[in-house]
Structures are given as C-alpha cells and as structure tokens.
C-alpha cells in the first residue's frame, strides 16, 4: 500500500525558511510524478510545485516561483519542498501527492502545518 508521510512544518516568522519532506514507501518512486499542494485556511487545495517522474523537470505556481524549490532523492524515496522568503499568505497545510504515470492513481499524505507569523 502506498503511503506518504510529510514532515518539516512549523511556525516561522515572515522572511524565514522551512524545508518540508515527504517520504514514500512501498512503490517504485521513479514511476510517480510528485507534487506539493497548499491549502490555506478556508480555501481550496492547490498545487504549488511539481516534479516529473522521468526527469527533473519542475513547475511552480506563480506566487512561489523563485522562493520555493521542489527536489527529489530517489534513493531515499523522498521529495522535498524548500521554502524561502516565506510570507503570511503561505500559511496553511501542505500536502504531498504522488501520481502514477502508468495508472494515474493518486495518493496523498496527511499534511503538515506551516504557519508564517511574527
């Protein structure tokens, strides 16, 4: 069974940094496209960063481009989201998603809370 476990969230002042981690288990990591989603309080969940399964091609939501970086360590079956220059609007729960390139099935982690506040 596919499991994703996020970690690394917390409370950080504006302008600070955090690195989120998402560790995967029980599947061939390189066969999945990985994404990070952000759900702000009272709003819909939306994608902020993605990394392709077969390459290191990445994409970002406009509001985080240049501040956030998604990366992947295949050997550790872990995807990261480095978040710099954090803003209060970045507050919310961050979720990791894996999408199979073969079946298009999607799997979600439980989320990790990020709070940007002074």
């Amino acid at each position: 069974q596919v499991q994703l476990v996020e970690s690394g969230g917390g409370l950080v002042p504006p302008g600070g940094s955090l690195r989120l981690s998402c560790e995967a288990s029980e599947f061939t990591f390189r066969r999945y496209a990985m994404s990070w989603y952000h759900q702000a309080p009272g709003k819909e969940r939306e994608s902020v960063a993605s990394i392709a399964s077969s390459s290191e091609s990445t994409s970002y939501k406009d509001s985080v481009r240049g501040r956030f970086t998604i990366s992947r360590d295949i050997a550790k079956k872990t995807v990261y989201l480095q978040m710099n220059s954090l803003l209060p609007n970045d507050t919310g729960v961050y979720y990791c998603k894996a999408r199979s390139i073969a079946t298009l099935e999607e799997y979600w982690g439980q989320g990790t809370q990020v709070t940007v506040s002074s």
Side-chain angles (χ1 to χ4, degrees), residues 39-58:
Q39 186 165 21
K43 296 190 176 181
E44 297 289 321
R45 192 179 302 186
E46 53 185 5
S47 176
V48 295
S50 297
I51 186 164
S53 60
S54 58
S55 71
E56 297 306 307
S57 175
T58 57

Side-chain angles (χ1 to χ4, degrees), residues 2-22:
V2 176
Q3 291 184 331
L4 300 172
V5 180
E6 299 102 331
S7 61
L11 173 64
V12 61
S17 297
L18 281 175
R19 189 176 80 156
L20 306 183
S21 299
C22 172

Side-chain angles (χ1 to χ4, degrees), residues 12 15-20 36-38 46-50 58-71 80-92 94 114 116:
V12 61
S17 297
L18 281 175
R19 189 176 80 156
L20 306 183
W36 284 97
Y37 280 69
H38 170 226
E46 53 185 5
S47 176
V48 295
S50 297
T58 57
S59 62
Y60 297 93
K61 182 184 178 185
D62 285 347
S63 62
V64 308
R65 188 175 294 112
R67 299 190 297 121
F68 290 10
T69 302
I70 188 171
S71 61
Y80 303 98
L81 186 67
Q82 177 67 43
M83 304 188 297
N84 299 328
S85 302
L86 282 161
L87 304 169
N89 283 350
D90 296 322
T91 293
Y94 284 77
V114 171
V116 184

